[in-house]
Structures are given as structure tokens and as C-alpha cells.
Amino acid sequence: MCKTLYAKQRTESAFAQLHRNMKRSFFLILLTFLSVSVFAQQVTLETCRQLAREHYPVSKEYGLIDQSEQYSLRNAASGWIPKIQLIAQASWQTDAPTFPEEMNELLATVNCEMPGMRRDQYMVGIDLSQNIYDGGRSAAEKGIARAQAKTERLTADVALYELESRVDNIYFGILLLEAQQEQLKKQIAILEENKRRCNVLVNNELALESDADAVEVEMVKANQAMTQLRYSADAYRQMLSLLTGQPITEGSLAMPEDITTLPSTIQSNRPELQLLDAKLSYLDAQKRLLKTAARPHFSLFAQGWYGYPSLNMFESMQNAKWTLNAVVGVRALWNVSALFGNKGINEQLLNKQQQIKLQREVFDFNNNLQIKQEDSEIARLEQTLVDDERIVTLRRSLRTAAENKYENGIVSITDVMDAVTDEGLALSAQALHQIELLKKKYELKHTTYVN
């Protein structure tokens, strides 16, 4: 019975181990499938832009700008916090209040002595003040803090916007090099087929050995060109990897979708325009702060101290005892000179605003000119592609005709190689123009800042 129980336990243990192994295998297969799926997924242009924005060091400035803004806002609000000052003072003066000699003689007749105040005086106390009207200074300082933070954020936005152009250029450069490689592979396949045909003719003594050598030379030249394209594409992928912080492999970039509706005007939310508006707002905030300097400021105050002399002058003239004293009241301060002294600063701010408005006019002019140029370039490339399609068709027909003529002994192998090269150049030019057209459309979209 013990043997039976032991065998049963071993069987159950074996089944449990098998179950665990199957679960482990299932999860490994699932993870492998997911990894392959993620790896196989192509990277889009928008993904590269987003990765570059997150990886670029400028993106780290946003957190620092937020912290700086909060510090500035707290500093501006501190003007409404009651101010407490501790006071300790010891002084000696050349003279002090005393009664005239005649008055002292009169007081002596009634046994009253009034020696006068001492020249050494002491006090230890506290001073409290609370703003009740600061002329709008605190609100103006908060406005400056917000305007400055907004300007700094938009400056970072402009830097990241320019970064997107760099990403676009490298992205389309990779697509162009990969497209040229694909066309060159087709040309190499044609050369291999012609070499096969040439070898058949040479074996049948219908062609010279030099013909096969001529085809071989063209194949070597094509492979050299392929190597150069591959190295160039690798260099571009390395640059894109550095910008995005992610590895970019061959064939991992997706071809962007074609843009059918082309924008024609710049959107007002383009970062440079927003930055210029923010600079104008910052100057307005400075003007508001300047106005507060010419307004009166009111505050409540309270002072209390322990020392000598006291507020009761007669008591201090009789004896040098330390006493408690207090004063409360309302204080008004008005810097009248600011009404006239800030005129030059205000004119300087107005001049800066005019400069920024002029910068905006120049920006609009240059970008409208750029849009016209990009529209014209897009129209040219669209017509060029129509011609490319016709040229490729004709070059393919001429190459096929040259191959047939060579087999019939009408033309030399050099003529065939020229036809193959011409067809390859036509295909390469067509691929180049296709990528250039798509790139120009995305440049126009980027210029107008249309989502």
C-alpha cells in the first residue's frame, strides 16, 4: 500500500511539473510573439518626431521653467505678508532736552529735581508693517513672472519645432536611400539575367568572352554603388537614432501617407508667432510694473520697544529708567519722482514693442514667400513624375529591344549595358522625385503648422 501511495504521489508530482513546464513554455511563446510583433511594427514620422522631442535636452527645461515661475510668483506674493523686524539700538548724542536753569531753580523751591535726558540712549523692540495698497505692484510682478515663463516655454517650443525639421530631413533622406537601393537591386537582377544570357551565347560560340566581362564590370559597378548607398543609409540611421534615442534598423521606417489637401496659409499657433506675442505681453507687463512705481503705497505699522528714553519726555527727564513704549498708525509713501523719471524707460519699452511688431511683419513676409516657393516646387515635381513614368516605360522598352537585338547579333553588349544603365537611372530619378514630392508636401505642412 505504501508503494502504491508513493507511486501515486510521484505521478501527481510529474503531472504538476509537466503543467508548470507547459505554462512556462506558453508564456515564453507569448513573449516571443509580442516581441516579434513590436519589432516588426514600423516606425512612423510622427513617432520619430515625438521621440526626438522627448530625447532632446531642451525638453528638460520645461520642468525648470515651471519651478522658476512658482518661485517668482511666491516672491511676488510675499509683498502681502506682514513684515516683522527686530530692532536693537544704542546711541550717544551731543545734546539732549533739559529745562532752562531758571526753571530748575523754581522747581528746587518745591523740592522737585529735573536733571533732563541723558545723552546715551538705548532701545530693543519690534517693528510690524502690513501693506494695504501697493499700487498694484504685486499683481504686476506676478504678471511679469507668468509672461517671462511663457516666453521661456515658447523659446523651447521653437527649438523643438526646428528639431522636427532636422528629423524630417534625415527621415526622408533614409527613405530616399532605401528607395534607391531597391531600384538598384532591380538593376542588378537585370544584369544577372543578361549575364546568364551572355554566358549561354558564349558557350554556344555566338558571343565573345569579352561580352561576359563587360556585363561583369557593370555588375561590379552596381554593387559598388549599392555599398555606397548602404553606408550612407547606415550613417543617416545612426543620426536618427541619436536624435530619437531609439535604434533605427534597415526597413523600419514607414512611408508617410500622401497629403491630398495642401495648406496655403500659416496658422497663428506656430511657435515663432506665439513667441513674438509672448514677448509683447512681457513688455506690457513691464509697463504695468513701471506704472505702479508712480502710485502711492499705503501700509499699517506698529512699533514697540523697551528702552530709554520713553515717549513720555518729562518722565525720561526725571529719571533714566527703561520703559515699554508702542506706536501704531498708517504710513503712506509716494515716490513722486517716478512720475517723471520713468518716462525714458517707458519710451524704451514702446520702442522694443515696435521692433517685435516689425519682426512679425518680416516673419510673415518670409514665410509667405516660402509657401509660394514650396507650392511651385510641388507643382514642378508632380509634372516631373508624369514625365518620369513615360521615360521609365520608354527606357524599359529600349532595354528589352536592345537585349533582343543582342541575341540576334544586331547590337553589341555595350549597347545593352547602356540601355540597362539608362533604365536604372530613370528608375532612380523616379524614386528620387517621388520621395522629394512627399518631402516637399510635409515641409509645406510643417511651414504652415497644420496638424
Side-chain angles (χ1 to χ4, degrees):
M1 182 176 179
C2 292
K3 291 182 179 181
T4 304
L5 182 59
Y6 177 74
K8 182 178 180 181
Q9 291 176 347
R10 288 188 61 185
T11 303
E12 290 176 352
S13 176
F15 274 111
Q17 183 65 31
L18 178 61
H19 180 67
R20 286 193 295 269
N21 290 338
M22 290 178 64
K23 287 178 64 179
R24 188 180 297 110
S25 300
F26 173 78
F27 283 118
L28 288 174
I29 294 172
L30 180 61
L31 288 174
T32 303
F33 175 77
L34 292 175
S35 300
V36 171
S37 298
V38 173
F39 180 80
Q41 186 178 5
Q42 288 189 309
V43 182
T44 64
L45 176 60
E46 189 58 37
T47 300
C48 287
R49 285 179 175 180
Q50 184 62 32
L51 290 173
R53 289 174 66 93
E54 295 173 356
H55 186 66
Y56 202 53
V58 172
S59 61
K60 300 177 182 178
E61 291 185 6
Y62 290 102
L64 298 176
I65 293 172
D66 291 340
Q67 292 180 4
S68 178
E69 181 183 13
Q70 294 302 317
Y71 296 150
S72 298
L73 290 174
R74 283 199 292 268
N75 291 336
S78 64
W80 294 100
I81 299 175
K83 294 180 175 58
I84 303 175
Q85 292 181 331
L86 298 177
I87 304 171
Q89 179 177 312
S91 63
W92 182 88
Q93 56 197 46
T94 59
D95 203 355
T98 60
F99 276 102
E101 199 62 39
E102 295 81 2
M103 182 65 72
N104 283 330
E105 292 176 356
L106 180 61
L107 292 174
T109 59
V110 293
N111 295 325
C112 181
E113 185 179 357
M114 190 72 68
M117 286 189 186
R118 295 172 54 178
R119 295 184 181 183
D120 55 321
Q121 299 180 0
Y122 311 91
M123 65 179 298
V124 176
I126 186 170
D127 183 280
L128 302 176
S129 64
Q130 171 63 56
N131 276 336
I132 55 177
Y133 177 68
D134 65 351
R137 181 178 182 84
S138 178
E141 289 179 346
K142 289 181 179 179
I144 284 183
R146 294 189 180 97
Q148 183 176 3
K150 185 176 181 180
T151 301
E152 292 173 352
R153 290 191 193 96
L154 288 170
T155 301
D157 287 346
V158 171
L160 294 178
Y161 173 80
E162 294 173 352
L163 175 67
E164 289 182 354
S165 295
R166 295 168 59 186
V167 172
D168 290 358
N169 289 332
I170 297 175
Y171 191 98
F172 282 103
I174 294 172
L175 292 179
L176 175 59
L177 291 170
E178 290 181 348
Q180 289 178 327
Q181 289 181 64
E182 290 299 320
Q183 297 302 329
L184 194 55
K185 288 179 183 178
K186 295 178 182 179
Q187 184 177 353
I188 292 174
I190 294 173
L191 289 172
E192 290 176 347
E193 177 62 21
N194 278 280
K195 182 180 179 181
R196 185 190 63 80
R197 292 179 179 179
C198 188
N199 287 333
V200 171
L201 294 175
V202 170
N203 292 334
N204 294 328
E205 297 183 352
L206 298 176
L208 299 175
E209 187 70 30
S210 60
D211 291 348
D213 293 339
V215 178
E216 183 69 24
V217 169
E218 293 299 324
M219 291 183 65
V220 172
K221 290 167 62 178
N223 285 320
Q224 283 181 337
M226 178 66 76
T227 301
Q228 293 177 358
L229 289 174
R230 187 175 294 112
Y231 277 109
S232 297
D234 289 340
Y236 271 66
R237 291 190 197 96
Q238 290 177 7
M239 286 189 288
L240 189 57
S241 297
L242 290 175
L243 287 175
T244 60
Q246 299 293 330
I248 304 297
T249 58
E250 183 177 358
S252 62
L253 301 183
M255 183 68 67
E257 296 182 358
D258 192 13
I259 301 176
T260 55
T261 304
L262 296 175
S264 58
T265 57
I266 299 176
Q267 300 299 305
S268 60
N269 61 340
R270 181 161 163 174
E272 294 94 334
L273 294 176
Q274 289 185 319
L275 177 59
L276 293 175
D277 291 339
K279 288 181 177 180
L280 289 174
S281 299
Y282 178 69
L283 292 176
D284 285 334
Q286 286 184 314
K287 290 166 63 178
R288 287 192 294 270
L289 179 62
L290 198 63
K291 290 179 180 179
T292 64
R295 296 172 184 167
H297 294 191
F298 296 92
S299 62
L300 299 174
F301 73 92
Q303 294 177 343
W305 72 91
Y306 179 67
Y308 172 83
S310 69
L311 293 175
N312 190 338
M313 184 182 300
F314 291 102
E315 181 181 355
S316 297
M317 292 175 68
Q318 290 180 3
N319 57 69
K321 292 181 179 180
W322 286 34
T323 58
L324 291 173
N325 304 272
V327 177
V328 296
V330 179
R331 182 185 291 121
L333 297 175
W334 192 0
N335 184 12
V336 181
S337 62
L339 293 172
F340 314 100
N342 293 337
K343 184 178 180 181
I345 301 177
N346 189 59
E347 291 176 351
Q348 186 179 13
L349 294 175
L350 288 174
N351 182 265
K352 288 182 178 180
Q353 286 183 323
Q354 293 299 323
Q355 290 179 0
I356 293 175
K357 291 178 180 179
L358 180 60
Q359 290 175 9
R360 178 159 189 156
E361 291 180 7
V362 174
F363 178 85
D364 290 336
F365 178 85
N366 290 335
N367 279 275
N368 288 329
L369 182 62
Q370 184 178 353
I371 289 175
K372 296 297 182 184
Q373 292 175 341
E374 290 173 349
D375 282 334
S376 177
E377 190 68 12
I378 288 172
R380 182 189 69 81
L381 288 170
E382 287 177 340
Q383 182 58 46
T384 301
L385 281 173
V386 174
D387 298 335
D388 284 340
E389 184 64 29
R390 178 62 178 163
I391 292 173
V392 168
T393 301
L394 293 174
R395 288 298 184 188
R396 184 177 293 114
S397 177
L398 290 173
R399 187 258 304 169
T400 304
E403 291 172 348
N404 293 331
K405 289 179 181 179
Y406 173 72
E407 290 182 351
N408 295 323
I410 300 175
V411 297
S412 66
I413 193 64
T414 303
D415 297 324
V416 177
M417 293 300 97
D418 290 341
V420 172
T421 301
D422 290 339
E423 181 187 5
L425 292 174
L427 288 170
S428 180
Q430 184 184 40
L432 171 64
H433 294 150
Q434 287 173 343
I435 301 297
E436 281 186 344
L437 176 59
L438 190 59
K439 182 175 180 290
K440 284 296 178 183
K441 289 182 177 181
Y442 274 85
E443 284 180 356
L444 179 58
K445 181 180 178 182
H446 191 257
T447 300
T448 55
Y449 207 67
V450 175
N451 295 326

